[in-house]
Amino acid sequence: MLKKIQHIKKLGVFDDFSWDSEVKNKGGAVQNFVDINIIYGRNYSGKTTLSRIARALETRTLSDKYGAPSFQLKFADNSDVTLAALTTHDKNIRVFNEDFIRDNLRFITNPDDSIEPFAILGDDNNKIEKEIEALEEELGSSIEGQETGLFADKKQAAVAYSNAFASHKQSNESLEKQLGDKATNKDIGIKYKPERFGDQNYTITKLKADITTVSSPDFQPLTSEQVSEHEKLIDEKVLPAIPKFSSPQLSFLSLALEVETLVTKPISESDKIQALVKDAVLNRWVNEGRSHHRNKHEKCAFCDNEISTERWAELDKHFDEESEQLEKSIDALLAKIETENQTIQSALTIDQSAFYSKFHSQLTALNLRLKAATKDYQLALGNLTKQLKARKGDILNVKDYENPADCTAKLTQIWQDYSDLCAQSELFSSSLADEQTKAKADLRLKEVAEYLLTIDYQAQLNSIETLRQKRDEAQQAQAIINTNITQKQAQVTAKKRELNDEEKGAKKVNEYLNNFFGHQFLTLEAKKDEGPTQEAKRIRFEVIRDGKKAYHLSEGECSLLAFCYFLAKLDDVATKDSNPIIWIDDPISSLDGNHIFFIYSLLNAEVVEKGKFAQLFVSTHNLDFLKYLRMLNGKYIDPAGSGKLKSYQKDFFVVIRQGKFSTIQSMPDYLKKYITEFNYLFHQIYKCANVESVNDANFNSFYNFANNARKFFEIYLYYKYPDQTSDEDKLKLFFGDEKIPAVLVDRINNEFSHLKGCFESGSIPIDVPEMQTAARQIIDRLKQDNEQFSSLMRSVGEAVEVETV
């Protein structure tokens, strides 16, 4: 059932129509379509446009002359049909409008053309009917809630597929949410930690790309140490340039050669005091004593004996210039060794803070090597010093030279390695941003890998895949059943075509023309065009008058024929028993009053009373036809009510054109409630007679009473007393022996309706008690004709008063 036309945009006279904001009842609630819907609108207000939207559902296409329109129809099952869904919807609808007439009754525009034929089931086809019956039994019932056969299987398969689809969707959406949270959630999302993971525009798409990376067998996550290094790296700032280091020139080899020369250098033995030669300590003591006594003491400070000139000569010969020169050379070489030692000691101090954390581990190792090598070099220098000091202490005696290990190459390599690290650090300054980006990417991949373990990603993937397979299997099972149903339905259709009888379609139209309209001058006949084969023969309908093809039909005849054709077509093979939505647009064009009533009678008898529809729409511009349409009533068997009869719901709508554009509204009471103005006038008098307390809401009943009463009596008394009696006499006849009411009503009618000769009445308030008294007298008099009064009460929706005896 069509619930409402949600919106219409840029389609005909509907520019931007919205149902929920415009179609509302008196209480302000949205008024939806019901079982039977009567639509009134003046010509050019948009009724045909609405019917064309409905016909677009039937033909599955809309004229491309509308430009770029859009519309949305909402149905009771919460499904929608839009312009884009015209070819895919499953709604069953039949529309009568001028497009239907043009497409099916082409003879109206081209007298030499024919009417599109349709078929009704033929006779004497018992065998085929039994085959059809068997197929339909296998298909079963498709009625909602009462499915049997293949349709029951279809419903079960649909439920199974729906459940499988929902399970797969729920599981998939759950995983997607977890991934989405990890990508963009403010609490745990990678997007909101760019300082660590490096991408403030991170998305779930990028996360899935990272998942592909970490899921590769070649992926190796960072170790704890690597994580620590990466964290330090991403905190790095560009460091100032490292002071340039120049490695000193080492002289170990030359020093060693000099030491060897001095240690092994012999001293001449002539004129030597043998006692001193043999005792190096004594020799050193004596030599030091010389410096203490020369030119200072004539006597020995130790033994107090005089030191003779001869003794000084002996000592000077013993401590000659050669030995003194050797000792000086040794002292000079010791100084050079000490200088070399100081150079080595201060040559290089490694400051890790000047380097990026990336190089700290290498610097630590290099510093250990540097200290070890420096110590070895200093030990070697100490060995040379020791040998020199030993020779100096025994200057007269040659010593054996001991060659220490040379660590020059080791120190030189360490200094070179340090220089290389300095160069690398300088180079790293220019690539720091790239290195930090790579470090953040590595940390992000580790974060992703750990998150996958946390949410048990692979297990969820496996579960989703299993559910997907179940969904696909359920979908395949559903497709198989649907295909089976389609094939069975095609077989039924094919077999029904074997029963087709186009001539019966023509006879059905003729039956309507004769029985409802008494039109015996026009008939339809089924003609068969000969073809080369039996299958090539084509049936066509022709309009016949007096045994000949009819030409020059009047507009009224065309309207009658077209509507009879449409109703007969509801019994064709494609439509019979399908209970479609029926939309009928203004079927009374160019018809007189009698034929308008016949159209209503045919519609009521053949459609409404027989329940051939799921929902009915009838639109008109004709107030006479609207009057009849108010009387449309019918009942249907309620499947939910154990087969009880239930009345169709009926409601009224109007299409109103406002300037260039139109809208749909709930029909106001003055059009919907009153069959004629006479009924309305009666209702206003009845309301005036029964007002208990006068207030601003009902005071208009008294101000309008004179006009309402005058017009009511003009209609009522004309039909009750259709002779030439005067209005005053007719009032007296109406009230009978009670003359006062007649006089009172006549006065009110004249003075308060026209203010004739009593202008001052218009300058004072209405006398409410006088009006209500007259109204009650009229109602009391009408009650005397109980049948008519009860009918009038029912016509205006008031409860019929039951007189108590």
Side-chain angles (χ1 to χ4, degrees):
M1 178 180 288
L2 177 59
K3 187 176 179 182
K4 56 186 170 182
I5 304 174
Q6 191 70 52
H7 73 256
I8 310 173
K9 296 183 179 180
K10 306 298 181 186
L11 202 161
V13 291
F14 292 95
D15 182 60
D16 190 14
F17 167 74
S18 173
W19 184 281
D20 290 348
S21 62
E22 300 189 45
V23 187
K24 298 182 178 180
N25 59 25
K26 286 184 177 179
V30 175
Q31 177 67 50
N32 294 328
F33 286 135
V34 293
D35 299 323
I36 299 176
N37 304 277
I38 311 301
I39 302 173
Y40 173 76
R42 295 179 180 177
N43 287 330
Y44 316 115
S45 62
K47 301 187 303 300
T48 300
T49 300
L50 295 179
S51 72
R52 281 178 173 151
I53 294 174
R55 184 159 169 78
L57 270 67
E58 179 181 3
T59 61
R60 300 183 183 274
T61 183
L62 183 71
S63 170
D64 57 5
K65 301 297 188 295
Y66 280 115
S70 72
F71 60 80
Q72 178 183 5
L73 280 66
K74 182 168 287 293
F75 289 80
D77 59 0
N78 284 327
S79 63
D80 293 327
V81 176
T82 62
L83 184 60
L86 286 180
T87 59
T88 58
H89 74 84
D90 59 353
K91 310 306 177 187
N92 184 19
I93 187 166
R94 297 291 183 269
V95 179
F96 175 83
N97 64 3
E98 62 182 43
D99 298 335
F100 170 85
I101 297 172
R102 184 179 58 251
D103 293 344
N104 291 277
L105 291 85
R106 293 186 297 273
F107 81 96
I108 291 176
T109 55
N110 180 10
D112 292 324
D113 213 330
S114 59
I115 298 177
E116 194 68 23
F118 61 89
I120 295 177
L121 292 183
D123 299 324
D124 303 324
N125 293 281
N126 292 334
K127 180 181 177 182
I128 297 175
E129 287 178 350
K130 286 182 180 178
E131 291 174 352
I132 292 173
E133 206 174 299
L135 287 169
E136 289 180 338
E137 184 176 352
E138 189 175 356
L139 283 167
S141 170
S142 62
I143 298 175
E144 183 69 27
Q146 302 177 37
E147 295 87 353
T148 59
L150 286 175
F151 284 108
D153 295 341
K154 177 183 177 180
K155 185 173 183 179
Q156 292 176 0
V159 171
Y161 170 70
S162 177
N163 292 338
F165 179 86
S167 296
H168 173 262
K169 182 181 179 183
Q170 181 180 4
S171 183
N172 194 53
E173 287 179 347
S174 174
L175 179 57
E176 285 292 308
K177 185 179 185 306
Q178 293 177 72
L179 298 181
D181 287 346
K182 190 59 184 174
T184 59
N185 181 273
K186 287 188 177 181
D187 295 327
I188 65 170
I190 290 174
K191 174 180 179 178
Y192 291 96
K193 298 179 181 178
E195 72 285 351
R196 181 176 177 84
F197 301 124
D199 191 350
Q200 63 183 3
N201 296 316
Y202 200 70
T203 63
I204 189 171
T205 302
K206 293 180 179 180
L207 175 64
K208 289 180 178 179
D210 286 345
I211 289 175
T212 301
T213 301
V214 303
S215 299
S216 169
D218 299 331
F219 175 72
Q220 293 294 330
L222 299 176
T223 64
S224 299
E225 291 181 359
Q226 289 173 321
V227 169
S228 178
E229 292 174 1
H230 280 55
E231 288 173 341
K232 291 178 181 177
L233 174 58
I234 63 179
D235 290 334
E236 295 278 17
K237 307 297 179 187
V238 177
L239 296 174
I242 300 171
K244 189 172 180 61
F245 169 71
S246 297
S247 58
Q249 295 295 324
L250 299 181
S251 306
F252 185 83
L253 288 176
S254 61
L255 292 174
L257 287 174
E258 290 182 53
V259 169
E260 181 180 10
T261 300
L262 296 180
V263 169
T264 58
K265 184 177 181 178
I267 299 295
S268 175
E269 294 183 0
S270 61
D271 298 324
K272 297 298 185 226
I273 301 171
Q274 292 300 313
L276 297 179
V277 172
K278 292 179 181 179
D279 190 340
V281 175
L282 181 61
N283 185 71
R284 186 170 59 252
W285 180 74
V286 171
N287 191 26
E288 291 175 354
R290 289 175 64 218
S291 62
H292 291 299
H293 288 77
R294 185 181 296 277
N295 300 323
K296 296 178 182 179
H297 303 282
E298 293 181 358
K299 291 183 179 180
C300 176
F302 178 73
C303 62
D304 198 30
N305 291 319
E306 184 179 354
I307 304 172
S308 64
T309 302
E310 292 79 7
R311 187 60 178 171
W312 280 110
E314 289 177 357
L315 291 174
D316 287 341
K317 288 180 181 179
H318 180 79
F319 296 104
D320 57 10
E321 184 179 355
E322 182 180 6
S323 61
E324 288 181 355
Q325 184 62 42
L326 178 59
E327 189 171 348
K328 288 179 180 179
S329 296
I330 289 174
D331 287 339
L333 187 54
L334 284 173
K336 286 174 66 178
I337 292 174
E338 180 58 27
T339 300
E340 180 86 352
N341 187 52
Q342 293 298 323
T343 300
I344 292 300
Q345 183 68 31
S346 60
L348 176 63
T349 301
I350 296 176
D351 180 11
Q352 287 193 1
S353 65
F355 289 81
Y356 295 104
S357 60
K358 174 183 177 70
F359 303 104
H360 286 182
S361 60
Q362 297 178 64
L363 289 168
T364 299
L366 186 65
N367 197 35
L368 292 174
R369 288 170 56 206
L370 174 63
K371 289 180 178 179
T374 300
K375 183 178 180 180
D376 291 343
Y377 196 90
Q378 288 176 327
L379 288 174
L381 290 177
N383 183 284
L384 294 178
T385 299
K386 180 180 178 182
Q387 293 186 66
L388 285 174
K389 287 182 176 180
R391 178 60 192 269
K392 182 180 178 181
D394 190 7
I395 195 72
L396 299 177
N397 295 306
V398 173
K399 301 294 181 180
D400 292 331
Y401 175 70
E402 178 185 345
N403 190 19
D406 184 4
C407 299
T408 302
K410 190 182 293 185
L411 267 176
T412 302
Q413 183 60 50
I414 291 171
W415 290 335
Q416 182 60 48
D417 290 347
Y418 176 77
S419 296
D420 291 343
L421 283 176
C422 290
Q424 291 179 38
S425 183
E426 290 295 322
L427 184 62
F428 186 74
S429 292
S430 62
S431 63
L432 177 61
D434 292 337
E435 291 292 331
Q436 287 177 328
T437 298
K438 183 178 182 304
K440 290 177 180 180
D442 290 341
L443 288 172
R444 187 179 71 243
L445 290 176
K446 179 175 176 60
E447 180 76 6
V448 171
E450 290 178 347
Y451 186 70
L452 296 185
L453 293 175
T454 300
I455 66 174
D456 206 357
Y457 176 74
Q458 191 57 49
Q460 289 197 64
L461 277 186
N462 295 338
S463 175
I464 290 171
E465 175 60 21
T466 301
L467 291 173
R468 184 196 64 78
Q469 292 175 3
K470 290 181 179 179
R471 181 202 65 189
D472 291 348
E473 290 169 0
Q475 187 177 28
Q476 186 177 9
Q478 186 182 34
I480 291 172
I481 292 174
N482 288 340
T483 301
N484 195 11
I485 289 175
T486 301
Q487 290 174 348
K488 299 291 182 188
Q489 289 175 329
Q491 292 175 27
V492 169
T493 301
K495 291 190 176 296
K496 282 185 176 180
R497 273 199 296 268
E498 297 177 30
L499 301 171
N500 284 353
D501 189 344
E502 287 84 355
E503 189 172 350
K504 280 202 164 191
K507 288 180 179 180
K508 191 73 173 176
V509 175
N510 295 334
E511 177 186 330
Y512 290 152
L513 284 171
N514 294 330
N515 292 350
F516 281 88
F517 300 100
H519 206 305
Q520 300 176 1
F521 305 107
L522 292 180
T523 59
L524 279 191
E525 286 189 8
K527 301 287 186 178
K528 185 176 291 185
D529 290 334
E530 297 299 327
T533 63
Q534 184 69 21
E535 291 75 14
K537 292 180 180 180
R538 181 181 178 277
I539 300 296
R540 57 187 173 81
F541 284 174
E542 283 189 353
V543 183
I544 304 297
R545 177 186 281 143
D546 297 331
K548 299 178 182 179
K549 184 171 181 177
Y551 293 94
H552 309 301
L553 272 67
S554 69
E555 289 187 14
E557 287 176 324
C558 290
S559 295
L560 286 179
L561 187 59
F563 191 64
C564 290
Y565 175 86
F566 174 76
L567 290 188
K569 208 169 184 303
L570 295 178
D571 284 327
D572 69 4
V573 174
T575 310
K576 186 175 176 62
D577 298 328
S578 65
N579 283 1
I581 296 173
I582 297 176
W583 191 297
I584 299 172
D585 178 41
D586 241 346
I588 45 82
S589 177
S590 301
L591 296 179
D592 59 23
N594 286 335
H595 285 98
I596 289 174
F597 178 77
F598 290 147
I599 290 285
Y600 156 74
S601 300
L602 181 58
L603 175 63
N604 189 52
E606 291 299 302
V607 177
V608 178
E609 290 183 358
K610 290 184 178 181
K612 288 184 177 180
F613 64 95
Q615 191 176 17
L616 177 63
F617 295 83
V618 185
S619 62
T620 185
H621 74 286
N622 187 285
L623 289 172
D624 282 339
F625 191 47
L626 176 63
K627 174 180 67 176
Y628 296 131
L629 292 176
R630 291 194 189 97
M631 298 186 291
L632 280 179
N633 285 302
K635 298 180 182 294
Y636 64 96
I637 297 176
D638 182 10
S642 302
K644 293 182 180 180
L645 288 176
K646 187 175 181 179
S647 296
Y648 289 114
Q649 288 185 313
K650 182 171 61 178
D651 215 331
F652 299 81
F653 302 85
V654 289
V655 183
I656 300 174
R657 184 161 181 169
Q658 300 168 335
K660 292 183 179 180
F661 306 116
S662 290
T663 184
I664 305 171
Q665 295 179 3
S666 183
M667 186 179 286
D669 282 348
Y670 75 89
L671 277 176
K672 176 171 65 174
K673 197 169 184 181
Y674 303 109
I675 296 175
T676 66
E677 185 179 5
F678 177 71
N679 300 76
Y680 170 78
L681 295 170
F682 166 76
H683 200 193
Q684 294 305 308
I685 295 171
Y686 180 79
K687 285 182 177 179
C688 184
N690 287 276
V691 168
E692 293 182 1
S693 176
V694 181
N695 53 48
D696 289 339
N698 56 34
F699 199 71
N700 62 335
S701 295
F702 299 96
Y703 266 102
N704 295 329
F705 173 77
N707 274 319
N708 293 337
R710 178 180 58 79
K711 293 172 72 175
F712 175 79
F713 277 123
E714 285 175 358
I715 299 171
Y716 182 83
L717 295 179
Y718 173 78
Y719 282 101
K720 190 170 182 66
Y721 309 108
D723 55 15
Q724 299 300 318
T725 305
S726 66
D727 291 343
E728 183 179 348
D729 290 337
K730 286 179 181 180
L731 274 175
K732 292 176 181 179
L733 289 172
F734 175 74
F735 285 107
D737 295 335
E738 299 183 47
K739 299 189 188 270
I740 294 177
V743 174
L744 175 61
V745 170
D746 184 52
R747 171 178 172 262
I748 291 172
N749 288 351
N750 284 283
E751 292 186 6
F752 292 94
S753 175
H754 303 294
L755 298 180
K756 280 185 179 180
C758 193
F759 179 74
E760 63 275 6
S761 297
S763 62
I764 60 175
I766 291 291
D767 188 355
V768 172
E770 187 175 50
M771 298 296 183
Q772 191 167 48
T773 298
R776 288 174 177 171
Q777 288 172 343
I778 294 170
I779 294 300
D780 289 342
R781 181 65 182 86
L782 291 173
K783 287 181 180 179
Q784 293 179 20
D785 187 346
N786 185 58
E787 289 184 0
Q788 185 184 42
F789 181 75
S790 297
S791 179
L792 283 170
M793 292 287 283
R794 287 193 295 270
S795 74
V796 296
E798 295 286 354
V800 178
E801 299 178 8
V802 179
E803 296 264 346
T804 57
V805 181

